Structures are given as C-alpha cells and as structure tokens.
Amino acid sequence: MAKYRDEGTFIQKTWALGHMRARKVTIKAGAGRLGEATVLGKIDADSKYIKSLKAAIDGSQTPDAILATEVDATSEDVEAIVFIAGEFDQEALILGTGHTLGSVDAVFRTKSIWLVRPMG
C-alpha cells in the first residue's frame, strides 16, 4: 500500500497564474539568498541549481525553473520547490545579470513555462 507524507503547506503565489507543475531540487551552497520568483539554471556537473546568469558557462546560463519560495543557500545546499511548467507574471521574475524577459521567455516557452502580463 502506498504511503503518503505531508511535505508542507502550499500557499498560492499571486505571480503564479493558472495551472503549475513543481518539483523539489537542490540549490547549491554559495548561491546566497534567493527570492521567490528567481529564474534558476541547472549546473551540468552536479544538477544543482543557482541563479541563472547569461555569462555563466557551467550550464546554469540556460533558464530552467522558477524558484517558488525564498531560500538561503549561503553556506549549505538547500532543498527547494521550483516551478517547471505553468503561467507566471513576467513582471515578478527576478532575472540574473545579462538576462532579459525576451531571452528568458524564448527558452521557457520550450519548457512549457509561459510568461504573461496579467490583465486587471
């Protein structure tokens, strides 16, 4: 029989719109304090995540996910929930140096992450 466990309480984000898909990942030690809605890239060598910077050369230059909640990975690896698909308010995203909404959107569309400007 399958066992279920409580992994915490989900609080709806006002910048996460409609249907979303999420998963747990590891934020690499040394990434520092990252705010919710930070655009993350995955390091090829260890599959850990850091803030995506356009000039990086370790794989993390390619936007891969959006951080769901604030984390502090200053001194140690931290497990975190990231969004890997869905619709998100483009104005709420925290972009790394060198990235623009256009450059991030072009990659995210191939991953079923849609950046929109909410109406209302």
Side-chain angles (χ1 to χ4, degrees):
M1 178 173 217
K3 287 187 175 184
Y4 297 94
R5 64 186 176 120
D6 182 8
E7 292 192 12
T9 303
F10 177 75
I11 299 171
Q12 180 67 37
K13 307 295 181 187
T14 58
W15 51 270
L17 314 166
H19 297 286
M20 299 156 289
R21 294 194 66 178
R23 71 172 176 212
K24 190 182 293 184
V25 301
T26 301
I27 308 297
K28 187 173 183 75
R33 296 183 72 96
L34 300 174
E36 68 178 30
T38 296
V39 174
L40 302 174
K42 183 168 63 172
I43 299 169
D44 292 333
D46 59 14
S47 295
K48 294 179 182 178
Y49 284 75
I50 60 174
K51 187 176 195 177
S52 182
L53 306 176
K54 190 162 179 100
I57 57 172
D58 59 3
S60 68
Q61 68 273 13
T62 304
D64 191 65
I66 300 171
L67 187 60
T69 59
E70 181 179 308
V71 298
D72 185 355
T74 302
S75 59
E76 62 185 9
D77 288 353
V78 175
E79 285 191 336
I81 301 297
V82 299
F83 294 117
I84 58 169
E87 292 183 5
F88 303 91
D89 179 350
Q90 66 186 16
E91 301 300 322
L93 296 182
I94 299 171
L95 304 177
T97 303
H99 280 303
T100 64
L101 284 175
S103 69
V104 170
D105 184 49
V107 175
F108 275 167
R109 280 184 281 136
T110 68
K111 298 175 179 289
S112 294
I113 296 175
W114 305 100
L115 304 182
V116 298
R117 178 173 288 141
M119 299 177 73

